[in-house]
Amino acid sequence: ALYVKWQCNKTSTQDCRLRFSSWSCPRCFSKAKKTTGVMPTRPLLLFQRRFFLLLHALVVFFLIISQMCNATEEEEKQKKRIPTPVKDVKRPVDTSRLAPFDKDIREDCQSLLEYCQSDVFAHVYLQCPASCSKFLEEEGMVGTAHENPEALYDVGTLRTYRGNRIETDRFEGYVLVLAVIPLLPGMAVYYYEMMEHLHSVFTPHVEFVVMPMDHGHGIHIQLQEKGKVVVLEEESVVTAVEKHPWIQHLTSVKPRKGLGTTEFGNGDIILQRPLATDRVTIYIVSADGYFVERLVSPSLDLLQKKVRLYTKTIDYEL
């Protein structure tokens, strides 16, 4: 570095380093130009500019890295929040991940309610059954089949899931619980297991029948080897709603009370609401076929209380 000592306007003498401080003193600037014949540059200002540009680039860089890290953390949380999709519910299910009836084993069940009816994500209904049942529950109805209370028993035969045919008159004299279950992951398994559990509680006075509704997702119920519940053959949604003789009879029962009804005209005509195909509907029929109650996505506790009430009214002389 070239040092030239000049007397400045200031009280003290300073070294004017041409490469660094020639612009700091006007007199130094003039002397330097006369001495070297070269216009001194602004190295200090250039250094400041470069420093601030570098600082700005570093700030932008760290902001980008921070956003990328936050996005990665959010993706990890999302993966933990949403279950892994499965396509075949016949694959073995880890029983340690299944909740007891009417209980949740996940802390984030409220944020997963949209997946209770999903045809992709498994285990949501199985891990959040209390929240899902409450979310999908609707007010049911109670009615009487006074025109033809024996219609269920006069159908003849029905084909079961295993391909056999059963006589419908075998259910006469028993309280009948018919569960119309859409074949959705988690939901179908949960309510099938519930029917098997209730059968063990109320045998021999109650018969439990499951009617699977196929939505075309390739989902099927895996029956227990020693299951006691009668599982009918799978029906498409259209066939089950429009053609199945039991559904035709039960949906035609005139309601006497409950919000699961639709009024026409001046209220003189009251019908049931259309059968829900995206959630479980359960019909409880008295032993004489006269009283019919409809429940939508009930909890185990509610269903058990309703069935117990009907068993107390059985006429054992039928």
Side-chain angles (χ1 to χ4, degrees), residues 99-137:
F101 293 117
D102 294 350
K103 292 184 180 180
D104 296 338
I105 61 173
R106 295 180 68 113
E107 297 180 355
D108 57 346
C109 286
Q110 291 301 315
S111 64
L112 296 175
L113 295 180
E114 61 181 304
Y115 301 109
C116 292
Q117 298 163 287
S118 171
D119 61 332
V120 178
F121 298 103
H123 302 303
V124 174
Y125 213 114
L126 298 178
Q127 295 179 356
C128 304
S131 297
C132 286
S133 297
K134 186 176 181 180
F135 175 68
L136 299 176
E137 185 178 9

Side-chain angles (χ1 to χ4, degrees), residues 47-65:
F47 174 77
Q48 290 175 344
R49 290 178 183 176
R50 292 170 182 172
F51 173 76
F52 285 114
L53 287 175
L54 178 62
L55 181 62
H56 178 73
L58 289 174
V59 171
V60 173
F61 173 75
F62 282 113
L63 285 176
I64 295 175
I65 294 298

Side-chain angles (χ1 to χ4, degrees), residues 213 236-244 247-248 251 275-277:
M213 281 196 304
S236 67
V237 173
V238 175
T239 302
V241 174
E242 298 181 359
K243 297 182 180 180
H244 198 280
I247 299 298
Q248 291 293 299
T251 54
L275 181 70
T277 60

Side-chain angles (χ1 to χ4, degrees), residues 73-84 97 106 108 112 127:
E73 292 178 359
E74 187 64 25
E75 290 178 359
E76 292 297 328
K77 291 180 180 179
Q78 189 75 1
K79 289 179 181 179
K80 293 180 180 179
R81 188 176 73 86
I82 301 178
T84 304
R97 300 174 62 191
R106 295 180 68 113
D108 57 346
L112 296 175
Q127 295 179 356

Side-chain angles (χ1 to χ4, degrees), residues 148-313:
N148 188 9
E150 297 183 353
L152 290 178
Y153 318 124
D154 295 339
V155 170
T157 61
L158 293 174
R159 186 180 296 276
T160 67
Y161 189 80
R162 300 183 186 276
N164 305 322
R165 301 196 72 89
I166 58 172
E167 300 288 338
T168 55
D169 58 3
R170 60 173 282 184
F171 301 107
E172 189 173 3
Y174 297 92
V175 174
L176 175 64
V177 178
L178 173 65
V180 184
I181 301 178
L183 291 176
L184 296 174
M187 184 186 299
V189 177
Y190 179 76
Y191 274 95
Y192 168 68
E193 295 294 334
M194 183 187 293
M195 295 304 107
E196 290 286 359
H197 170 74
L198 290 175
H199 185 281
S200 64
V201 174
F202 291 104
T203 188
H205 305 304
V206 183
E207 288 282 358
F208 290 86
V209 180
V210 170
M211 178 184 295
M213 281 196 304
D214 186 14
H215 282 259
H217 302 310
I219 307 298
H220 308 282
I221 294 179
Q222 187 173 9
L223 305 183
Q224 295 183 7
E225 291 185 6
K226 299 182 180 180
K228 302 298 182 181
V229 173
V230 177
V231 180
L232 302 179
E233 67 176 343
E234 296 177 0
E235 301 280 0
S236 67
V237 173
V238 175
T239 302
V241 174
E242 298 181 359
K243 297 182 180 180
H244 198 280
W246 273 14
I247 299 298
Q248 291 293 299
H249 169 69
L250 293 173
T251 54
S252 67
V253 172
K254 293 184 177 181
R256 289 186 174 270
K257 64 177 182 178
L259 295 179
T261 62
T262 303
E263 296 184 1
F264 296 91
N266 296 325
D268 53 341
I269 300 177
I270 303 178
L271 300 176
Q272 294 183 49
R273 290 178 181 174
L275 181 70
T277 60
D278 61 348
R279 63 199 69 194
V280 174
T281 300
I282 293 181
Y283 285 96
I284 306 175
V285 184
S286 62
D288 57 1
Y290 186 76
F291 294 99
V292 176
E293 185 162 357
R294 171 178 169 176
L295 303 174
V296 180
S297 188
S299 63
L300 172 66
D301 182 65
L302 175 61
L303 183 55
Q304 190 164 323
K305 290 179 180 178
K306 293 290 186 179
V307 174
R308 182 170 288 110
L309 179 63
Y310 277 83
T311 59
K312 294 179 179 179
T313 61

